[in-house]
Amino acid sequence: MKFEGTDAYVATDDLTVAVNAAVTLERPLLVKGEPGTGKTELARQVAQSLGMRLIEWNIKSTTKAQQGLYEYDAVSRLRDSQLGDARVHDVKNYIKRGKLWEAFASDEKVVLLIDEIDKADIEFPNDLLQELDQMEFHVYETGETVKARNRPVIIITSNNEKELPDAFLRRCFFHYIRFPDADTLRKIVEVHHPGIKDALLTTALTQFFELREQPGLKKKPSTSEVLDWLKLILAEDLSVEDLRRDGADALPKLHGALLKNEQDVHLFERLAFMARRQR
């Protein structure tokens, strides 16, 4: 049972090695990379490739580690006790299972995605050390210990917004998804936009890499953004001639799909203005 990529996901050799190493070692795979490089989609494609169900735990700034295990609704139990509800006598009626519990309780091996772990508080990863290492946790309200029936394949993504604790990193297999080179990006585009004309794709990718490599750019456009840009180009039925720019540093057509803040737009507007003045 090995991951080799799918028809909908172009996986580089080093990425497939990382996924399979994490599966073999039964350690969480920590995937870092720029936003939009396919980290979340990787988990979905791994699940599809290995024929496993995917359980997604999307982390927010307010997410606590305990929520991944379970949540005890003491308020509802108090209310029901005041109303004389018979449910109050069984505490299990007030315990909501989290995503880790769901993965641990599954009769079949699953893929568990912990998405964007760096959004949470700095203590969040440390609070999961025991559970991810031992594959079990204790439910204090009922006195039971929940153990994983089948150790899940765990994929954890991070946009590198904050450093993760060393104790957490030691328990993971790490992989950084580098931004794809031109050949790999061409393959990715052809998966999403099959049949795109070679001349149009070459012109668009040349402009894209020129824009991405511009010094002073605050946010470099990602893989997902170039795919959106190409989708618009195809929807507008633009030709190679339509993509040609007045100056080397002029803004590309439909640049709103690529540049996502005013500083970067102003940077290219200034460069275009200077290019025109030098003519």
Side-chain angles (χ1 to χ4, degrees):
M1 186 172 61
K2 288 201 170 189
F3 174 69
E4 296 178 347
T6 67
D7 292 339
Y9 191 90
V10 177
T12 58
D13 291 342
D14 58 342
L15 179 56
T16 57
V17 167
V19 171
N20 292 318
V23 172
T24 300
L25 293 172
E26 295 189 323
R27 288 188 177 273
L29 173 64
L30 174 60
V31 184
K32 289 187 177 184
E34 296 178 28
T37 50
K39 300 184 296 297
T40 301
E41 187 62 25
L42 170 66
R44 296 171 182 149
Q45 296 301 323
V46 167
Q48 179 183 322
S49 174
L50 301 182
M52 298 180 185
R53 181 165 67 96
L54 174 67
I55 297 175
E56 295 189 42
W57 185 14
N58 299 301
I59 308 302
K60 301 178 181 179
S61 60
T62 56
T63 304
K64 302 299 180 185
Q66 180 65 32
Q67 293 172 301
L69 309 180
Y70 68 93
E71 293 183 88
Y72 170 53
D73 192 349
V75 174
S76 292
R77 192 181 188 196
L78 175 61
R79 183 193 62 226
D80 289 349
S81 68
Q82 294 170 338
L83 296 173
D85 194 321
R87 296 174 70 250
V88 76
H89 299 296
D90 188 353
V91 69
K92 291 183 179 178
N93 291 324
Y94 303 93
I95 290 179
K96 179 184 177 181
R97 294 185 178 189
K99 297 296 185 180
L100 260 73
W101 191 334
E102 184 182 345
F104 286 4
S106 176
D107 291 327
E108 299 178 341
K109 200 175 184 73
V110 300
V111 174
L112 172 63
L113 168 64
I114 304 177
D115 200 25
E116 297 190 337
I117 194 171
D118 53 325
K119 279 187 176 180
D121 184 84
I122 188 63
E123 290 303 319
F124 180 93
N126 281 333
D127 291 342
L128 289 177
L129 289 180
Q130 179 74 12
E131 290 75 15
L132 294 180
D133 201 28
Q134 301 299 321
M135 286 287 123
E136 65 178 43
F137 62 89
H138 188 70
V139 183
Y140 295 97
E141 289 77 8
T142 63
E144 67 179 309
T145 298
V146 177
K147 295 185 179 181
R149 296 179 183 176
N150 297 284
R151 194 177 187 103
V153 175
I154 300 175
I155 297 178
I156 303 170
T157 72
S158 169
N159 288 327
N160 230 5
E161 291 183 7
K162 62 170 68 84
E163 290 296 323
L164 300 173
D166 288 345
F168 178 79
L169 294 174
R170 283 200 301 272
R171 289 164 169 81
C172 299
F173 190 94
F174 173 77
H175 182 75
Y176 183 85
I177 296 184
R178 294 182 179 85
F179 192 82
D181 58 27
D183 289 339
T184 303
L185 189 56
R186 182 179 285 270
K187 292 176 184 177
I188 293 171
V189 170
E190 288 172 351
V191 166
H192 291 269
H193 302 297
I196 186 171
K197 293 179 180 178
D198 186 69
L200 181 65
L201 179 56
T202 298
T203 301
L205 290 186
T206 298
Q207 287 192 15
F208 170 74
F209 277 105
E210 286 175 354
L211 184 149
R212 181 177 161 82
E213 293 164 8
Q214 175 62 47
L217 204 62
K218 184 175 181 181
K219 184 196 177 301
K220 295 182 177 182
S222 67
T223 307
S224 63
E225 286 156 349
V226 73
L227 292 175
D228 286 346
W229 185 50
L230 286 166
K231 183 177 181 179
L232 288 173
I233 289 173
L234 293 172
E236 295 292 330
D237 196 24
L238 299 182
S239 66
V240 172
E241 289 70 27
D242 293 326
L243 293 184
R244 298 198 191 284
R245 295 178 288 175
D246 296 331
D249 298 311
L251 282 164
K253 293 285 194 302
L254 303 167
H255 62 270
L258 300 173
L259 300 175
K260 298 303 176 73
N261 62 69
E262 63 276 16
Q263 294 97 318
D264 289 343
V265 173
H266 290 160
L267 170 65
F268 278 88
E269 286 175 342
R270 288 195 302 271
L271 291 171
F273 176 72
M274 292 170 62
R276 287 193 296 270
R277 287 189 63 183
Q278 291 172 1
R279 288 181 182 178

